Amino acid sequence: MDKNKLKKMGDFLLNNPFLAMFEPNPDNHPPIIYKYRNWKEDFHKDLLKKNHFFMASPSSLNDPFDCRIYENHMKFLKTTENKEEYIKKALENNLDYLKANNLTVENGREILSERLNDTLHYQVRSEVIRNDIDDKSVGIGCFSENWNSILMWSHYADNHKGYCVGFDEKRLRYSQFFGKVKRVEYSIDYPELNPLNKRKNSYELKYFYKSLDWEYEEEIRVMNIYNTEKPNRIIELENKHIKEVILGLKTSENDKKEIISIAKDKNIDVWETTKAEFKFEIERYKH
């Protein structure tokens, strides 16, 4: 089934309150997911003003380990037997590349064998190549499950002077704008990827797995793969994808007026935040 048909099916399902109750949600995602933004930069304003959602390249993410989980050639290609097995599989999987570059299988074997004589150099080279490929072809969008994270407001919404946009998770999932929507997993352990034995979930470990230090973000991530050299990373969402807008504790009165005016014109609910009494918590009330 093509993307347009899937999108129409999703719209039909979600526009019917009775049918929407039975919409499958295997990952148990919350109904609304949030994006924290500031109101100083036009780029950040465009999320609300123009419904422009930007898909970032891995190199632009603030975690240097994010999307940088690599196969460990240093560990798993120590022996001659493992190197031979790796070379055999690599050649079998790259016959089209060899043909396109006028190389025989034997040529490819010689090149790989020579490179693997220095496993450290091969590891570094493979990481550089992987980074370059991902930065050109991968788009990442980040949401949080919660609107009331004190740290998230501080880190991503201009120290509580910005705003937060709540998106309809189901409509985003059915929009066909994103290839993958998944909750990020957190761990103290760095994933171990064996180049000889590809794990079924290695794709998810590379792009949906982060250090436990980032657990407070409670991230739900969207991801796209692009097949063009210079992809358009801006996705133009529809008004119906935005459920609500939340103003920060320290959002200025002028910024509030501007944000509220835009939201009301789009029939989007607006909430204001306040400190909870005698608790380290943020509460909100409808504007």
Side-chain angles (χ1 to χ4, degrees), residues 45 69 76 81 106 134 160 169 201 220 230 239 272:
K45 288 183 178 181
I69 307 297
F76 294 103
E81 292 80 4
E106 203 50 48
D134 282 350
H160 297 258
E169 190 276 338
N201 65 337
I220 288 180
K230 293 183 178 179
N239 288 344
E272 295 210 38

Side-chain angles (χ1 to χ4, degrees), residues 191-206:
E192 194 167 78
L193 299 184
N194 183 349
L196 291 171
N197 183 19
K198 308 283 186 181
R199 295 166 60 173
K200 288 183 179 180
N201 65 337
S202 61
Y203 171 88
E204 294 182 353
L205 288 175
K206 287 180 181 180

Side-chain angles (χ1 to χ4, degrees), residues 22 42 44 64 67 74 96 105 115 126 149 155 178 184 221:
F22 301 98
D42 289 338
H44 283 233
C67 298
M74 299 289 293
D96 290 341
V105 172
R115 287 177 178 170
S126 69
S149 167
H155 294 167
F178 310 110
V184 169
R221 171 169 291 188

Side-chain angles (χ1 to χ4, degrees), residues 142-155:
C142 307
F143 301 88
S144 176
E145 295 195 45
N146 294 306
W147 62 267
N148 57 352
S149 167
I150 297 173
L151 279 175
M152 293 288 279
W153 276 103
S154 297
H155 294 167

